[in-house]
Amino acid sequence: MRAAPFEIPGATELERLVARSRLIGADPALVLHGGGNTSSKIVERDHVGRERIVLRIKGTGMDLATIGPDGFAGLFLDELLLLQERESMPDEEVIDYVARCLVDPRAPRPSIETLLHAFVPATHVDHVHADAVCALANGRKSRSIVHDALGKDVASIGYVRPGFELSRRVAEACSDHRAAVLLKHGLVTWGETHEASYGLMLDLVERAETYLSERTRRPRPRTVPDIGDDDLAEILTRLRGRLSRTRRQVLLVDRSQRWLADRRDVADIASARATPDHLLRISTGGIVVVTAAEVEPAVDGFESAYRAYFDRNRVRLPAGTPMRSPLPNVILVPGLGCVTASSDARSARVNAELALHSHSVGAHLLDGLDELEGLSDEEAFDVDYWPSELYKLTLAPPPPEFSGHVVLVTGAASGIGREIAIDL
Ligand code: ZN
Protein backbone atom coordinates (compact mmCIF):
# COMPACT_ATOMS: atom_id res chain seq x y z
CA MET A 1 0.00 0.00 0.00
CA ARG A 2 1.41 3.39 -0.95
CA ALA A 3 1.73 5.80 2.01
CA ALA A 4 -0.48 8.85 2.03
CA PRO A 5 0.70 12.16 3.41
CA PHE A 6 -2.27 13.09 5.57
CA GLU A 7 -0.45 13.49 8.86
CA ILE A 8 -0.07 17.19 8.31
CA PRO A 9 1.04 18.74 11.63
CA GLY A 10 -1.64 21.01 13.08
CA ALA A 11 -4.13 20.35 10.27
CA THR A 12 -7.83 19.98 11.04
CA GLU A 13 -9.76 16.91 9.93
CA LEU A 14 -11.40 19.02 7.23
CA GLU A 15 -7.98 20.10 5.95
CA ARG A 16 -6.90 16.46 5.85
CA LEU A 17 -10.06 15.64 3.92
CA VAL A 18 -9.15 18.41 1.45
CA ALA A 19 -5.64 16.96 1.06
CA ARG A 20 -7.02 13.45 0.48
CA SER A 21 -9.56 14.72 -2.04
CA ARG A 22 -6.98 16.69 -4.03
CA LEU A 23 -4.71 13.70 -4.19
CA ILE A 24 -7.56 11.65 -5.65
CA GLY A 25 -8.58 14.46 -8.00
CA ALA A 26 -5.03 14.84 -9.30
CA ASP A 27 -5.12 11.36 -10.88
CA PRO A 28 -7.23 11.22 -14.07
CA ALA A 29 -7.21 7.41 -13.88
CA LEU A 30 -9.37 7.76 -10.73
CA VAL A 31 -11.75 10.66 -11.45
CA LEU A 32 -12.28 13.38 -14.05
CA HIS A 33 -13.87 16.83 -14.04
CA GLY A 34 -16.22 16.92 -11.07
CA GLY A 35 -16.58 13.13 -10.86
CA GLY A 36 -16.31 11.09 -7.66
CA ASN A 37 -16.77 12.26 -4.11
CA THR A 38 -15.17 12.04 -0.68
CA SER A 39 -16.35 12.52 2.89
CA SER A 40 -15.35 12.46 6.55
CA LYS A 41 -17.48 12.34 9.68
CA ILE A 42 -16.06 14.97 12.01
CA VAL A 43 -17.02 16.11 15.52
CA GLU A 44 -17.87 19.82 15.32
CA ARG A 45 -19.76 22.37 17.42
CA ASP A 46 -23.13 23.44 16.10
CA HIS A 47 -24.53 26.99 16.20
CA VAL A 48 -25.53 26.66 19.86
CA GLY A 49 -22.24 25.10 20.97
CA ARG A 50 -23.25 21.42 21.12
CA GLU A 51 -20.78 18.80 19.94
CA ARG A 52 -22.25 16.88 17.02
CA ILE A 53 -20.99 14.56 14.32
CA VAL A 54 -21.01 16.37 11.01
CA LEU A 55 -20.72 14.64 7.63
CA ARG A 56 -18.38 16.77 5.50
CA ILE A 57 -19.02 15.82 1.90
CA LYS A 58 -18.02 17.24 -1.45
CA GLY A 59 -20.46 19.78 -2.89
CA THR A 60 -22.09 18.70 -6.13
CA GLY A 61 -20.14 19.69 -9.25
CA MET A 62 -16.97 20.55 -7.27
CA ASP A 63 -13.74 19.28 -8.79
CA LEU A 64 -11.73 17.11 -6.39
CA ALA A 65 -8.50 18.29 -8.02
CA THR A 66 -8.96 21.88 -6.90
CA ILE A 67 -11.44 21.64 -4.03
CA GLY A 68 -10.87 23.69 -0.86
CA PRO A 69 -12.57 23.56 2.56
CA ASP A 70 -15.45 25.69 1.25
CA GLY A 71 -16.21 23.07 -1.40
CA PHE A 72 -17.49 20.69 1.26
CA ALA A 73 -21.00 20.85 2.70
CA GLY A 74 -21.53 19.92 6.36
CA LEU A 75 -24.61 17.93 7.42
CA PHE A 76 -25.75 16.72 10.83
CA LEU A 77 -25.20 12.97 10.67
CA ASP A 78 -27.83 11.98 13.26
CA GLU A 79 -30.51 13.66 11.15
CA LEU A 80 -29.40 11.85 7.98
CA LEU A 81 -29.30 8.49 9.75
CA LEU A 82 -32.99 8.77 10.70
CA LEU A 83 -33.66 7.94 7.03
CA GLN A 84 -32.19 4.46 7.43
CA GLU A 85 -35.55 3.37 8.80
CA ARG A 86 -37.27 4.14 5.50
CA GLU A 87 -37.88 1.62 2.74
CA SER A 88 -37.56 4.06 -0.16
CA MET A 89 -37.39 7.76 -0.90
CA PRO A 90 -37.62 9.59 -4.26
CA ASP A 91 -34.66 11.79 -5.30
CA GLU A 92 -36.56 15.07 -4.88
CA GLU A 93 -37.49 14.20 -1.29
CA VAL A 94 -33.91 13.19 -0.55
CA ILE A 95 -32.65 16.54 -1.90
CA ASP A 96 -35.21 18.51 0.18
CA TYR A 97 -34.50 16.51 3.32
CA VAL A 98 -30.72 16.71 2.94
CA ALA A 99 -30.94 20.50 2.46
CA ARG A 100 -32.57 20.75 5.91
CA CYS A 101 -29.69 18.87 7.55
CA LEU A 102 -27.06 21.40 6.46
CA VAL A 103 -24.93 22.92 9.22
CA ASP A 104 -24.66 26.09 7.13
CA PRO A 105 -27.55 26.64 4.72
CA ARG A 106 -25.22 28.73 2.51
CA ALA A 107 -22.93 25.75 1.90
CA PRO A 108 -22.72 24.27 -1.61
CA ARG A 109 -25.37 21.74 -2.47
CA PRO A 110 -24.12 18.38 -1.16
CA SER A 111 -23.40 15.51 -3.53
CA ILE A 112 -26.28 13.32 -4.73
CA GLU A 113 -24.39 10.47 -3.06
CA THR A 114 -24.70 12.10 0.42
CA LEU A 115 -26.85 9.32 1.88
CA LEU A 116 -24.44 6.66 0.66
CA HIS A 117 -21.62 8.40 2.55
CA ALA A 118 -23.84 8.88 5.61
CA PHE A 119 -25.09 5.29 5.75
CA VAL A 120 -21.63 3.70 5.46
CA PRO A 121 -20.70 3.30 9.13
CA ALA A 122 -17.06 4.32 8.71
CA THR A 123 -15.45 7.68 9.42
CA HIS A 124 -14.01 8.22 5.94
CA VAL A 125 -15.51 7.25 2.57
CA ASP A 126 -14.11 7.64 -0.97
CA HIS A 127 -15.95 7.11 -4.23
CA VAL A 128 -14.13 7.09 -7.59
CA HIS A 129 -14.72 6.08 -11.21
CA ALA A 130 -11.32 4.42 -11.62
CA ASP A 131 -10.72 3.26 -15.20
CA ALA A 132 -9.38 -0.17 -14.22
CA VAL A 133 -12.32 -0.90 -11.90
CA CYS A 134 -14.81 0.37 -14.50
CA ALA A 135 -13.23 -2.00 -17.05
CA LEU A 136 -13.96 -4.94 -14.73
CA ALA A 137 -17.43 -3.62 -13.99
CA ASN A 138 -18.87 -2.95 -17.46
CA GLY A 139 -19.13 -6.44 -18.93
CA ARG A 140 -21.63 -9.28 -18.98
CA LYS A 141 -19.69 -11.34 -16.42
CA SER A 142 -18.69 -8.42 -14.21
CA ARG A 143 -19.94 -9.87 -10.96
CA SER A 144 -17.68 -12.92 -11.11
CA ILE A 145 -14.78 -10.96 -12.62
CA VAL A 146 -14.89 -8.41 -9.78
CA HIS A 147 -14.82 -11.21 -7.20
CA ASP A 148 -11.99 -12.94 -9.02
CA ALA A 149 -9.94 -9.76 -9.39
CA LEU A 150 -10.54 -8.02 -6.07
CA GLY A 151 -11.56 -10.81 -3.68
CA LYS A 152 -14.81 -12.01 -2.19
CA ASP A 153 -14.57 -9.39 0.53
CA VAL A 154 -15.31 -6.69 -2.06
CA ALA A 155 -19.05 -6.47 -2.76
CA SER A 156 -20.32 -6.02 -6.29
CA ILE A 157 -23.59 -4.17 -6.38
CA GLY A 158 -25.85 -4.40 -9.43
CA TYR A 159 -26.39 -1.17 -11.32
CA VAL A 160 -28.86 1.23 -9.79
CA ARG A 161 -28.84 4.98 -10.29
CA PRO A 162 -27.32 6.77 -7.27
CA GLY A 163 -29.92 7.75 -4.68
CA PHE A 164 -31.67 6.22 -1.70
CA GLU A 165 -31.77 2.63 -2.97
CA LEU A 166 -28.06 2.50 -3.83
CA SER A 167 -27.19 4.04 -0.44
CA ARG A 168 -29.12 1.28 1.34
CA ARG A 169 -27.51 -1.48 -0.73
CA VAL A 170 -23.98 -0.21 -0.07
CA ALA A 171 -24.72 0.18 3.66
CA GLU A 172 -25.99 -3.41 3.76
CA ALA A 173 -22.82 -4.63 2.06
CA CYS A 174 -20.60 -2.91 4.65
CA SER A 175 -21.09 -5.47 7.40
CA ASP A 176 -19.26 -8.27 5.58
CA HIS A 177 -17.24 -6.47 2.91
CA ARG A 178 -14.36 -4.02 3.00
CA ALA A 179 -15.29 -2.11 -0.16
CA ALA A 180 -17.95 -2.11 -2.87
CA VAL A 181 -17.80 -2.04 -6.65
CA LEU A 182 -20.87 -0.37 -8.13
CA LEU A 183 -21.34 -2.25 -11.41
CA LYS A 184 -21.22 -0.03 -14.51
CA HIS A 185 -20.32 2.87 -12.25
CA GLY A 186 -17.29 2.81 -9.92
CA LEU A 187 -15.76 1.97 -6.56
CA VAL A 188 -16.52 2.88 -2.93
CA THR A 189 -13.97 2.39 -0.15
CA TRP A 190 -14.12 3.31 3.52
CA GLY A 191 -11.95 3.28 6.61
CA GLU A 192 -11.44 4.67 10.08
CA THR A 193 -8.50 6.82 8.97
CA HIS A 194 -7.86 8.89 5.85
CA GLU A 195 -4.99 6.56 5.03
CA ALA A 196 -7.13 3.45 5.36
CA SER A 197 -9.86 4.55 2.95
CA TYR A 198 -7.47 6.14 0.44
CA GLY A 199 -4.93 3.32 0.70
CA LEU A 200 -7.57 0.64 0.17
CA MET A 201 -8.83 2.47 -2.88
CA LEU A 202 -5.32 2.64 -4.40
CA ASP A 203 -4.73 -0.99 -3.50
CA LEU A 204 -7.93 -2.17 -5.21
CA VAL A 205 -7.29 -0.04 -8.30
CA GLU A 206 -3.77 -1.49 -8.52
CA ARG A 207 -5.16 -5.02 -8.23
CA ALA A 208 -7.68 -4.28 -10.97
CA GLU A 209 -4.88 -2.92 -13.21
CA THR A 210 -2.72 -6.01 -12.61
CA TYR A 211 -5.67 -8.33 -13.26
CA LEU A 212 -6.37 -6.58 -16.57
CA SER A 213 -2.77 -6.61 -17.71
CA GLU A 214 -2.41 -10.31 -16.91
CA ARG A 215 -5.62 -11.43 -18.57
CA THR A 216 -6.00 -9.22 -21.59
CA ARG A 217 -3.97 -8.83 -24.72
CA ARG A 218 -4.09 -5.84 -27.00
CA PRO A 219 -5.12 -6.97 -30.51
CA ARG A 220 -2.63 -6.46 -33.29
CA PRO A 221 -3.30 -3.00 -34.66
CA ARG A 222 -5.09 -2.78 -37.96
CA THR A 223 -3.07 -0.89 -40.53
CA VAL A 224 -4.99 2.26 -41.22
CA PRO A 225 -3.23 4.92 -43.30
CA ASP A 226 -2.99 8.45 -41.93
CA ILE A 227 -5.89 10.55 -43.03
CA GLY A 228 -4.81 13.09 -45.66
CA ASP A 229 -5.00 16.84 -44.98
CA ASP A 230 -7.63 17.40 -47.66
CA ASP A 231 -9.82 14.55 -46.42
CA LEU A 232 -9.47 15.78 -42.86
CA ALA A 233 -10.44 19.33 -43.81
CA GLU A 234 -13.47 18.00 -45.67
CA ILE A 235 -14.56 15.76 -42.78
CA LEU A 236 -14.17 18.55 -40.20
CA THR A 237 -15.99 21.10 -42.35
CA ARG A 238 -18.91 18.78 -42.95
CA LEU A 239 -19.04 17.74 -39.31
CA ARG A 240 -19.05 21.29 -38.03
CA GLY A 241 -21.78 22.24 -40.45
CA ARG A 242 -23.94 19.26 -39.59
CA LEU A 243 -23.50 19.61 -35.83
CA SER A 244 -24.08 23.38 -35.78
CA ARG A 245 -27.59 23.46 -37.24
CA THR A 246 -29.26 24.60 -34.01
CA ARG A 247 -26.29 25.87 -32.02
CA ARG A 248 -22.80 26.71 -33.23
CA GLN A 249 -20.18 24.17 -32.29
CA VAL A 250 -16.40 24.14 -32.32
CA LEU A 251 -14.47 20.94 -32.89
CA LEU A 252 -11.40 19.57 -31.17
CA VAL A 253 -9.16 16.87 -32.67
CA ASP A 254 -7.63 14.44 -30.17
CA ARG A 255 -4.96 12.41 -31.99
CA SER A 256 -4.06 10.55 -28.79
CA GLN A 257 -7.11 8.34 -29.48
CA ARG A 258 -5.72 7.05 -32.78
CA TRP A 259 -5.05 3.60 -31.24
CA LEU A 260 -8.75 3.40 -30.35
CA ALA A 261 -10.07 4.72 -33.66
CA ASP A 262 -7.93 2.28 -35.68
CA ARG A 263 -9.27 -0.83 -33.93
CA ARG A 264 -11.47 -3.26 -35.84
CA ASP A 265 -14.09 -3.01 -33.09
CA VAL A 266 -14.17 0.79 -33.27
CA ALA A 267 -18.00 0.79 -33.36
CA ASP A 268 -18.10 -1.00 -29.99
CA ILE A 269 -15.45 1.36 -28.61
CA ALA A 270 -17.60 4.33 -29.68
CA SER A 271 -20.52 3.00 -27.64
CA ALA A 272 -18.52 2.46 -24.42
CA ARG A 273 -19.37 4.66 -21.45
CA ALA A 274 -17.27 3.96 -18.34
CA THR A 275 -19.66 5.51 -15.81
CA PRO A 276 -22.94 7.46 -15.81
CA ASP A 277 -21.02 10.68 -15.12
CA HIS A 278 -19.47 10.49 -18.60
CA LEU A 279 -22.80 9.78 -20.30
CA LEU A 280 -24.17 13.07 -18.95
CA ARG A 281 -21.64 15.02 -20.98
CA ILE A 282 -20.79 12.84 -23.97
CA SER A 283 -24.23 11.35 -24.54
CA THR A 284 -25.24 7.73 -24.81
CA GLY A 285 -22.78 6.89 -27.60
CA GLY A 286 -20.72 8.30 -30.43
CA ILE A 287 -20.31 7.77 -34.15
CA VAL A 288 -17.58 6.48 -36.42
CA VAL A 289 -16.76 8.31 -39.64
CA VAL A 290 -14.28 6.95 -42.18
CA THR A 291 -14.79 9.30 -45.14
CA ALA A 292 -16.29 12.75 -45.65
CA ALA A 293 -19.22 11.19 -47.53
CA GLU A 294 -20.19 9.30 -44.36
CA VAL A 295 -20.53 12.41 -42.19
CA GLU A 296 -24.12 13.34 -42.99
CA PRO A 297 -25.56 9.79 -42.89
CA ALA A 298 -23.70 9.02 -39.64
CA VAL A 299 -24.86 12.21 -37.88
CA ASP A 300 -28.40 11.85 -39.21
CA GLY A 301 -28.50 8.17 -38.18
CA PHE A 302 -27.41 9.06 -34.66
CA GLU A 303 -29.99 11.84 -34.49
CA SER A 304 -32.92 9.71 -35.59
CA ALA A 305 -31.90 6.93 -33.19
CA TYR A 306 -31.67 9.48 -30.34
CA ARG A 307 -35.09 10.93 -31.18
CA ALA A 308 -36.59 7.42 -31.19
CA TYR A 309 -34.95 6.68 -27.82
CA PHE A 310 -36.36 9.92 -26.40
CA ASP A 311 -39.86 9.10 -27.70
CA ARG A 312 -39.68 5.56 -26.28
CA ASN A 313 -38.75 6.79 -22.82
CA ARG A 314 -40.31 10.23 -22.47
CA VAL A 315 -43.21 8.82 -20.42
CA ARG A 316 -40.66 8.56 -17.60
CA LEU A 317 -40.34 12.38 -17.51
CA PRO A 318 -42.67 15.18 -16.37
CA ALA A 319 -44.75 16.35 -19.33
CA GLY A 320 -43.05 19.04 -21.39
CA THR A 321 -39.45 18.14 -20.45
CA PRO A 322 -37.41 19.22 -23.48
CA MET A 323 -35.19 16.82 -25.36
CA ARG A 324 -31.44 17.29 -24.88
CA SER A 325 -29.33 17.69 -27.99
CA PRO A 326 -30.01 14.69 -30.26
CA LEU A 327 -26.64 15.17 -32.01
CA PRO A 328 -23.43 13.27 -31.23
CA ASN A 329 -20.51 15.17 -29.71
CA VAL A 330 -17.89 12.41 -29.97
CA ILE A 331 -16.75 11.14 -33.37
CA LEU A 332 -14.09 8.47 -33.89
CA VAL A 333 -12.20 8.76 -37.17
CA PRO A 334 -9.88 5.86 -38.18
CA GLY A 335 -6.54 7.21 -39.37
CA LEU A 336 -6.94 10.27 -37.15
CA GLY A 337 -8.28 9.72 -33.61
CA CYS A 338 -11.25 11.37 -31.96
CA VAL A 339 -13.10 14.59 -32.76
CA THR A 340 -15.25 16.18 -30.08
CA ALA A 341 -17.77 18.99 -30.40
CA SER A 342 -19.02 21.57 -27.94
CA SER A 343 -19.95 25.23 -27.71
CA ASP A 344 -16.41 26.23 -26.70
CA ALA A 345 -12.90 24.86 -26.89
CA ARG A 346 -12.63 24.20 -23.16
CA SER A 347 -15.69 21.98 -22.93
CA ALA A 348 -14.75 20.25 -26.20
CA ARG A 349 -11.46 19.37 -24.46
CA VAL A 350 -13.35 18.07 -21.42
CA ASN A 351 -15.47 15.93 -23.75
CA ALA A 352 -12.30 14.56 -25.37
CA GLU A 353 -10.86 13.59 -21.97
CA LEU A 354 -14.08 11.87 -20.88
CA ALA A 355 -14.29 10.09 -24.24
CA LEU A 356 -10.66 8.94 -23.97
CA HIS A 357 -11.32 7.34 -20.59
CA SER A 358 -14.65 5.80 -21.61
CA HIS A 359 -13.16 4.44 -24.85
CA SER A 360 -10.07 3.09 -23.03
CA VAL A 361 -12.27 1.32 -20.47
CA GLY A 362 -14.16 -0.29 -23.37
CA ALA A 363 -10.91 -1.33 -25.06
CA HIS A 364 -9.41 -2.86 -21.89
CA LEU A 365 -12.57 -4.87 -21.34
CA LEU A 366 -12.86 -6.00 -24.95
CA ASP A 367 -9.24 -7.18 -25.13
CA GLY A 368 -10.16 -10.72 -24.15
CA LEU A 369 -11.79 -10.09 -20.76
CA ASP A 370 -15.51 -9.87 -21.41
CA GLU A 371 -18.28 -8.59 -23.64
CA LEU A 372 -19.19 -4.97 -23.18
CA GLU A 373 -22.62 -4.50 -21.59
CA GLY A 374 -23.75 -0.90 -21.42
CA LEU A 375 -26.66 0.50 -19.47
CA SER A 376 -30.08 -0.61 -20.71
CA ASP A 377 -32.13 1.86 -22.72
CA GLU A 378 -34.11 2.87 -19.64
CA GLU A 379 -31.09 3.05 -17.33
CA ALA A 380 -29.26 5.28 -19.82
CA PHE A 381 -32.32 7.49 -20.19
CA ASP A 382 -32.71 7.89 -16.42
CA VAL A 383 -29.12 9.17 -16.28
CA ASP A 384 -29.45 11.29 -19.42
CA TYR A 385 -32.51 13.03 -17.94
CA TRP A 386 -31.52 12.96 -14.27
CA PRO A 387 -32.76 16.27 -12.85
CA SER A 388 -30.36 16.40 -9.92
CA GLU A 389 -27.31 15.78 -12.13
CA LEU A 390 -28.44 18.09 -14.90
CA TYR A 391 -28.44 20.71 -12.15
CA LYS A 392 -24.64 20.32 -12.00
CA LEU A 393 -24.35 21.30 -15.64
CA THR A 394 -26.51 24.38 -15.03
CA LEU A 395 -23.85 25.64 -12.59
CA ALA A 396 -21.59 26.25 -15.57
CA PRO A 397 -21.45 29.94 -16.56
CA PRO A 398 -23.62 31.00 -19.52
CA PRO A 399 -21.93 30.72 -22.93
CA PRO A 400 -19.85 33.81 -23.72
CA GLU A 401 -20.69 36.10 -26.64
CA PHE A 402 -18.55 34.31 -29.24
CA SER A 403 -19.34 30.81 -28.09
CA GLY A 404 -19.26 28.36 -31.00
CA HIS A 405 -17.32 30.78 -33.23
CA VAL A 406 -13.79 30.35 -34.48
CA VAL A 407 -11.98 33.69 -34.59
CA LEU A 408 -8.85 34.35 -36.59
CA VAL A 409 -6.77 37.21 -35.15
CA THR A 410 -4.03 38.51 -37.43
CA GLY A 411 -0.95 40.12 -35.93
CA ALA A 412 -1.63 38.42 -32.58
CA ALA A 413 2.05 38.02 -31.69
CA SER A 414 2.17 41.49 -30.13
CA GLY A 415 0.38 44.77 -29.45
CA ILE A 416 -3.32 45.20 -30.13
CA GLY A 417 -3.66 41.84 -31.89
CA ARG A 418 -2.20 40.06 -28.87
CA GLU A 419 -4.52 41.85 -26.45
CA ILE A 420 -7.54 40.95 -28.61
CA ALA A 421 -6.49 37.29 -28.70
CA ILE A 422 -6.06 37.23 -24.90
CA ASP A 423 -9.40 38.98 -24.43
CA LEU A 424 -11.15 36.42 -26.63
ZN1 ZN B 1 -20.21 8.11 -9.06
Side-chain angles (χ1 to χ4, degrees):
M1 192 185 294
R2 284 166 272 186
F6 303 125
E7 289 314 312
I8 312 155
T12 63
E13 278 302 285
L14 179 57
E15 285 162 350
R16 291 196 173 100
L17 171 61
V18 169
R20 185 175 109 221
S21 306
R22 287 189 174 180
L23 219 48
I24 293 171
D27 187 348
L30 299 176
V31 286
L32 286 171
H33 302 295
N37 37 62
T38 51
S39 72
S40 294
K41 301 177 181 86
I42 301 172
V43 177
E44 296 184 14
R45 285 197 185 279
D46 71 7
H47 58 291
V48 290
R50 292 172 299 191
E51 278 199 343
R52 298 178 70 180
I53 301 178
V54 170
L55 174 72
R56 287 280 161 190
I57 181 161
K58 189 191 93 159
T60 194
M62 298 288 166
D63 195 330
L64 287 177
T66 53
I67 198 164
D70 295 347
F72 287 88
L75 303 107
F76 294 117
L77 184 65
D78 54 348
E79 296 177 9
L80 296 174
L81 292 183
L82 292 174
L83 296 181
Q84 278 183 306
E85 285 160 23
R86 301 217 187 178
E87 284 296 311
S88 65
M89 197 169 179
D91 274 1
E92 310 76 61
E93 279 182 39
V94 170
I95 289 165
D96 282 350
Y97 186 97
V98 161
R100 288 163 199 270
C101 305
L102 283 169
V103 175
D104 180 350
R106 292 160 300 183
R109 183 165 158 159
S111 161
I112 186 69
E113 276 144 344
T114 294
L115 291 187
L116 186 156
H117 287 253
F119 291 178
V120 171
T123 307
H124 306 284
V125 180
D126 291 314
H127 165 53
V128 294
H129 306 141
D131 290 352
V133 173
C134 287
L136 304 180
N138 268 287
R140 287 195 191 288
K141 297 177 289 199
S142 283
R143 208 174 275 276
S144 64
I145 287 174
V146 166
H147 282 178
D148 198 27
L150 306 181
K152 291 261 190 266
D153 53 358
V154 173
S156 59
I157 297 181
Y159 178 79
V160 48
R161 191 176 78 177
F164 190 85
E165 174 64 21
L166 181 62
S167 309
R168 269 175 55 110
R169 288 201 205 176
V170 174
E172 277 166 21
C174 285
S175 54
D176 44 4
H177 297 91
R178 61 184 188 133
V181 170
L182 315 179
L183 297 182
K184 302 179 192 174
H185 179 167
L187 173 68
V188 184
T189 56
W190 51 83
E192 286 312 312
T193 62
H194 296 279
E195 289 80 1
S197 182
Y198 176 78
L200 177 58
M201 190 253 296
L202 290 190
D203 185 38
L204 292 174
V205 170
E206 213 166 271
R207 285 170 69 166
E209 285 167 354
T210 307
Y211 186 90
L212 282 170
S213 65
E214 286 173 357
R215 282 167 183 77
T216 58
R217 185 172 301 164
R218 184 112 308 161
R220 268 191 302 147
R222 192 166 54 136
T223 313
V224 179
D226 293 349
I227 199 154
D229 287 348
D230 290 349
D231 288 342
L232 176 58
E234 182 72 17
I235 286 177
L236 294 179
T237 308
R238 289 196 188 199
L239 266 176
R240 187 156 183 250
R242 206 67 181 175
L243 298 176
S244 298
R245 275 173 301 164
T246 48
R247 187 173 170 196
R248 278 174 176 272
Q249 301 283 295
V250 291
L251 304 182
L252 181 122
V253 176
D254 176 12
R255 293 178 191 265
S256 78
Q257 295 194 51
R258 172 83 184 260
W259 65 281
L260 293 155
D262 285 1
R263 290 172 58 117
R264 281 187 180 79
D265 55 2
V266 57
D268 293 328
I269 297 290
S271 72
R273 293 292 174 264
T275 183
D277 228 36
H278 294 188
L279 189 152
L280 274 163
R281 292 194 73 133
I282 56 172
S283 192
T284 51
I287 56 172
V288 179
V289 165
V290 180
T291 63
E294 289 178 18
V295 167
E296 280 87 4
V299 172
D300 294 354
F302 183 96
E303 179 176 357
S304 57
Y306 189 94
R307 287 183 183 281
Y309 145 85
F310 182 76
D311 286 341
R312 271 197 307 280
N313 292 290
R314 65 192 310 170
V315 288
R316 305 168 75 77
L317 293 172
T321 306
M323 183 172 65
R324 300 183 70 196
S325 167
L327 300 174
N329 56 17
V330 177
I331 302 98
L332 281 165
V333 184
L336 176 71
C338 184
V339 179
T340 54
S342 193
S343 55
D344 60 83
R346 193 192 159 276
S347 52
R349 194 163 297 116
V350 170
N351 288 349
E353 283 177 41
L354 296 176
L356 169 63
H357 286 264
S358 266
H359 294 157
S360 306
V361 162
H364 287 305
L365 183 145
L366 287 165
D367 289 344
L369 185 70
D370 199 359
E371 279 174 73
L372 191 60
E373 185 181 67
L375 296 179
S376 71
D377 207 46
E378 289 176 0
E379 287 167 347
F381 189 81
D382 287 346
V383 172
D384 210 2
Y385 290 86
W386 188 359
S388 52
E389 283 296 287
L390 290 174
Y391 169 83
K392 262 198 217 174
L393 302 181
T394 66
L395 297 179
E401 193 181 348
F402 295 115
S403 140
H405 290 71
V406 176
V407 181
L408 192 67
V409 182
T410 55
S414 63
I416 296 172
R418 185 167 184 273
E419 290 305 314
I420 290 172
I422 291 168
D423 207 39
L424 286 168

